[in-house]
Amino acid sequence: MAFKILERKPLNWAERTYLPQIITGLKITLWNLFQKKVTLEYPDVRPVIPEGYRGIPTLVKDPKGREKCVSCQLCEFVCPPKAIRIQPGEIPEDADYAHVEKAPKQFDIDMLRCIYCGFCQEVCPEEAIFLQNDFSLSGYSREEMVFPKAKLYEMGGTFPDQHNKWGKKQQAAEEAKAHG
Amino acid sequence: MNYLPVLIALIKAVLMVAVVVVIAAYAVLAERKIAGWIQGRYGPNRTAFPVIGYIPILGKMLTRLGVFQPVADGLKFIFKEDPIPGHVNLVYYFLAPCVAFIPAMTTMAVLPFGEMDGQPLVLANLDIGMLFLLAVSSLGVYGIILAGWSANSKYPFLGGIRGSAQMISYELAMGLSILPAFLWANAPGSETGMSLFNVVQSQDQLWMVIWQPLSALIFLVALFAETNRLPFDMPEAETELVAGYNTEYGSMKFGLFFVAEYTHIVIGSGVLTVLFLGGWNFFPGLPSPWPGGWVGGVLSTLWFLLKVFTVVFFFMWIRWTLPRFRYDQVMRLGWTVLLPLALANLVLNAIFIALFDNWFV
Ligand code: SF4
Ligand code: SF4
């Protein structure tokens, strides 16, 4: 068998006073007293954020500056605490990306409700919403903590677009037109 | 009538209280720092003081050491809102912090802290100094009992009960453990009684801790229990009883309990130093090199304080090393181990002294 039964020796007289053990403990703590400290002095020193961290949900744009969200409202639907409120809007006919058809008119995330579950990021068919590294946010009122679309884009920044879905669609449409 | 002696005594007393309270405040800081260091943290290191904190290197260093933290803590205690729960018994609720605080401040009157030209530096050099100390310091437990009882809620109540039981159990062992020290300090026929000064003077060759290690150990353990320090912090036991007897207190009332607790530790360390660590005597076997006059007084006081701080450090070191005993273990240790041990120690010492006197002297 792979285990070994240790015989439990009865404590001898010195051990039963506990004093030797206390002295050993004292030695350990004294040694620790002079060790390097492990505290991360937070506001001055920031922790390294690991890959896949779920911070504040933000909206991102693609490299051409197009807002990726198509206001399908899947994230609004999936969000467990109902932190997301979306008002879908139309993209005007004469815009560059008119063929995308829809974009959010209003997109609010209530950061006081959000539980950083990441469902929105997972469900989004357009890869438009990401939970990023920011983890500390504060405000003076509840209203202030409902982040509007502009702010969400500002925090989100630009993400590379691997699929170029709408670009390809546009291209295909143009080709189809060219071939009549 | 001449008011001058009264005035001088008053000034001395105020000075002594101020110094001890400041030491107690910095003992709190030391506790937090040592706790931090032992656990791999820094402890308080942010509180900066205007002007002093801005001195290039020194200010930064003091801030990192947390030197200004007690000032901030004290101010916080004073200016915080002081909520009074609706279910408390108001009279005793207000009385308890005072009852805890006053004995802690009174005991220091008889504690000698230095020597000048053969005279003790002490507020009152009583013949029954030790007796006074024991009597007054154990009054402090009334503060705990009253606080626990008047709060009318379960955790403080349990804390109060535990506090009183523990105090009674360990008082006995403590009293018995210091008697051998006095037996040895008082040569037959001398009239020094229980004066603390004479105990120190009798240790100029040999510290009592070397001669009486068992008494010193029992006294130390009992002292831990009497000052409600871990591993015997039954009345407070923050992991079991929220904050024990002072759960319902806030602001400066809690501050009074807090200061009283740390004053007890400082004074207790002082008593331990006086009784067993040779007070202001230099090293065992070496004559004290203190010159006469006030220089000697200051030097002996500093040496005494150094020893006291070492003992205070030991208190904290123990606190962050040992876990808390269970309540029944505390009682068992007190009644079935320490008390018989202290009794046997006393009897054996008495017999030994009697034989020694008969045959050799
Ligand atoms: S963020 Fe994604 S899931 Fe949410 S509405 Fe926009 S496209 Fe749909
Ligand atoms: S992370 Fe979760 S809670 Fe927060 S907005 Fe997205 S779905 Fe809602």
Side-chain angles (χ1 to χ4, degrees):
Chain A
M1 290 294 271
F3 58 81
K4 190 169 134 195
I5 296 174
L6 282 181
E7 209 177 312
R8 183 176 275 240
K9 290 197 218 88
L11 299 178
N12 66 25
W13 183 84
E15 279 164 349
R16 263 188 297 153
T17 62
Y18 296 118
L19 292 179
Q21 284 79 1
I22 290 178
I23 290 169
T24 314
L26 286 175
K27 260 190 267 171
I28 291 172
T29 41
L30 189 68
W31 185 78
N32 264 321
L33 196 85
F34 298 108
Q35 293 310 300
K36 203 174 153 352
K37 310 291 172 251
V38 295
T39 307
L40 189 82
E41 297 199 58
Y42 165 59
D44 304 335
V45 187
R46 297 276 172 162
V48 181
I49 307 281
E51 190 75 13
Y53 182 81
R54 302 200 305 263
I56 298 172
T58 57
L59 291 173
V60 299
K61 296 188 169 166
D62 78 354
K64 293 179 196 133
R66 178 182 68 84
E67 50 179 315
K68 288 170 108 181
C69 174
V70 295
S71 67
C72 68
Q73 290 177 289
L74 279 175
C75 53
E76 182 176 16
F77 184 72
V78 81
C79 178
K82 305 211 182 304
I84 304 180
R85 277 279 172 278
I86 301 171
Q87 266 189 31
E90 299 232 341
I91 296 181
E93 289 287 326
D94 51 345
D96 270 355
Y97 293 99
H99 65 298
V100 182
E101 289 178 10
K102 275 172 80 188
K105 196 153 77 191
Q106 233 189 346
F107 195 119
D108 298 325
I109 302 183
D110 187 345
M111 294 301 175
L112 292 178
R113 304 204 68 152
C114 174
I115 55 172
Y116 307 99
C117 61
F119 282 9
C120 48
Q121 173 177 343
E122 211 165 302
V123 80
C124 178
E126 295 292 329
E127 299 190 354
I129 188 163
F130 283 93
L131 272 68
Q132 295 196 30
N133 288 353
D134 227 340
F135 55 85
S136 84
L137 72 172
S138 55
Y140 290 102
S141 64
R142 285 169 191 242
E143 294 73 44
E144 205 177 312
M145 297 304 283
V146 179
F147 285 13
K149 192 171 108 175
K151 181 144 189 191
L152 291 172
Y153 274 122
E154 186 196 309
M155 290 196 313
T158 308
F159 264 41
D161 188 351
Q162 289 165 8
H163 315 296
N164 194 23
K165 173 173 155 191
W166 294 104
K168 281 180 193 152
K169 279 203 172 178
Q170 194 169 27
Q171 222 177 345
E174 268 159 25
E175 270 167 27
K177 217 187 257 171
H179 294 292
Chain B
M1 199 181 143
N2 193 357
Y3 289 109
L4 202 61
V6 181
L7 198 68
I8 288 178
L10 210 66
I11 290 174
K12 276 189 194 161
V14 169
L15 215 75
M16 175 107 186
V17 168
V19 168
V20 173
V21 168
V22 168
I23 292 179
Y26 276 89
V28 179
L29 172 71
E31 172 109 83
R32 295 174 64 185
K33 275 303 210 189
I34 290 168
W37 289 335
I38 284 181
Q39 298 168 350
R41 301 182 283 110
Y42 291 104
N45 63 0
R46 295 291 170 121
T47 319
F49 202 72
V51 188
I52 308 175
Y54 301 144
I55 303 171
I57 295 164
L58 184 75
K60 179 86 181 152
M61 218 170 72
L62 292 181
T63 306
R64 295 291 295 180
L65 269 178
V67 171
F68 310 116
Q69 187 69 34
V71 185
D73 284 351
L75 283 180
K76 188 192 78 177
F77 275 140
I78 294 171
F79 289 115
K80 241 179 137 169
E81 188 194 349
D82 188 2
I84 297 171
H87 51 73
V88 299
N89 185 331
L90 275 183
V91 179
Y92 297 115
Y93 181 78
F94 278 93
L95 197 62
C98 312
V99 173
F101 186 70
I102 291 169
M105 292 289 136
T106 314
T107 44
M108 68 180 75
V110 294
L111 188 74
F113 50 86
E115 150 194 58
M116 198 163 89
D117 300 330
Q119 286 302 308
L121 290 175
V122 60
L123 287 184
N125 187 19
L126 297 187
D127 267 355
I128 51 160
M130 191 64 223
L131 213 56
F132 178 86
L133 227 149
L134 282 180
V136 174
S137 72
S138 49
L139 282 182
V141 75
Y142 282 108
I144 294 179
I145 299 174
L146 278 182
W149 179 73
S150 70
N152 257 340
S153 70
K154 56 189 167 190
Y155 295 121
F157 185 63
L158 285 174
I161 291 178
R162 288 178 175 197
S164 45
Q166 178 181 328
M167 198 61 103
I168 292 166
S169 323
Y170 282 80
E171 194 94 321
L172 290 169
M174 184 182 227
L176 288 174
S177 71
I178 56 176
L179 282 179
F182 281 97
L183 285 184
W184 281 105
N186 288 306
S190 76
E191 289 176 0
T192 49
M194 300 198 89
S195 150
L196 287 164
F197 178 63
N198 288 92
V199 177
V200 178
Q201 294 303 61
S202 74
Q203 298 181 61
D204 55 352
Q205 292 304 320
L206 193 59
W207 293 1
M208 208 61 96
V209 67
I210 302 167
W211 184 227
Q212 292 285 328
L214 186 60
S215 311
L217 183 70
I218 298 172
F219 182 77
L220 184 70
V221 175
L223 193 64
F224 272 100
E226 293 282 298
T227 48
N228 299 326
R229 293 288 298 183
L230 225 78
F232 300 108
D233 66 337
M234 285 297 121
E236 224 176 305
E238 62 276 350
T239 36
E240 309 161 19
L241 299 183
V242 189
Y245 62 94
N246 56 32
T247 306
E248 307 286 354
Y249 285 89
S251 166
M252 200 57 211
K253 290 204 208 63
F254 169 74
L256 285 182
F257 280 118
F258 206 53
V259 174
E261 194 185 322
Y262 278 87
T263 311
H264 270 307
I265 293 166
V266 174
I267 301 290
S269 308
V271 176
L272 183 76
T273 311
V274 162
L275 288 181
F276 293 103
L277 296 183
W280 48 86
N281 287 313
F282 205 52
F283 283 107
L286 295 176
S288 304
W290 322 131
W294 64 269
V295 184
V298 170
L299 281 180
S300 64
T301 306
L302 286 181
W303 184 242
F304 178 76
L305 280 181
L306 189 73
K307 286 184 186 175
V308 171
F309 292 155
T310 314
V311 179
V312 170
F313 170 75
F314 184 72
F315 264 77
M316 288 159 189
W317 187 15
I318 283 276
R319 168 161 184 189
W320 300 104
T321 302
L322 296 184
R324 181 181 305 118
F325 283 120
R326 223 168 46 214
Y327 181 51
D328 61 316
Q329 289 171 331
V330 171
M331 287 296 125
R332 206 168 57 220
L333 182 67
W335 288 105
T336 67
V337 179
L338 285 187
L339 184 61
L341 209 60
L343 262 176
N345 185 34
L346 172 65
V347 172
L348 286 182
N349 268 301
I351 294 174
F352 187 72
I353 290 173
L355 294 179
F356 190 79
D357 279 350
N358 275 339
W359 289 343
F360 298 103
V361 184

